């Protein structure tokens, strides 16, 4: 894989993880660490990257979760994901929210 494709894949995976974790924080725990604007910006960026680069998107770790992601909401993501919940709780504890 070329360097730019590798970097694009890394960015897609970062955005997938961020969107999953912050959706869990928002929808499951009724808290906010980032603004709605930031979440929407990341979500649209991910959607556009995946749409423009479907073969790279298919190679991402969380592809099955995000293959039909349309950036409108995170409420339909797996809010019970163990890894996502661990990270969400860690971030909320660091900010004194739990």
């Amino acid at each position: 894989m070329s360097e730019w494709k590798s970097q694009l894949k890394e960015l897609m995976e970062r955005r997938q993880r961020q969107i999953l974790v912050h959706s869990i924080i928002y929808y499951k725990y009724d808290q906010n660490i980032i603004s709605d604007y930031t979440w929407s910006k990341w979500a649209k960026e991910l959607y556009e990257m995946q749409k423009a680069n479907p073969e790279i998107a298919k190679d991402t770790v969380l592809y099955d979760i995000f293959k039909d992601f349309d950036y409108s909401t995170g409420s339909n993501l797996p809010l019970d994901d163990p890894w996502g919940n661990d990270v969400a709780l860690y971030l909320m504890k660091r900010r004194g929210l739990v």
Side-chain angles (χ1 to χ4, degrees):
M1 181 179 289
S2 70
E3 181 66 22
W4 78 266
K5 286 183 179 181
S6 178
Q7 290 175 348
L8 181 60
K9 180 183 172 198
E10 287 177 26
L11 180 56
M12 279 186 204
E13 289 178 334
R14 181 179 331 126
R15 290 293 183 251
Q16 290 170 342
R17 290 188 306 269
Q18 289 171 319
I19 290 166
L20 176 60
V21 167
H22 288 285
S23 293
I24 290 169
I25 291 170
Y26 185 80
Y27 289 105
K28 184 172 181 177
Y29 297 106
D30 197 28
Q31 298 288 336
N32 239 358
I33 292 176
I34 62 170
S35 68
D36 290 344
Y37 172 80
T38 298
W39 189 94
S40 294
K41 180 180 162 189
W42 289 346
K44 188 169 184 184
E45 180 183 32
L46 174 62
Y47 172 80
E48 290 173 353
M49 285 189 293
Q50 291 185 151
K51 186 176 177 183
N53 303 279
E55 292 306 312
I56 296 172
K58 287 178 185 174
D59 195 33
T60 60
V61 174
L62 298 178
Y63 173 73
D64 288 340
I65 293 173
F66 284 93
K67 64 183 172 188
D68 297 320
F69 184 68
D70 68 359
Y71 77 87
S72 64
T73 182
S75 66
N76 56 351
L77 296 175
L79 304 180
D80 59 347
D81 180 80
W83 173 86
N85 275 271
D86 287 347
V87 174
L89 289 169
Y90 170 79
L91 291 173
M92 290 189 300
K93 284 178 185 174
R94 287 198 56 185
R95 287 161 177 80
L97 299 173
V98 291

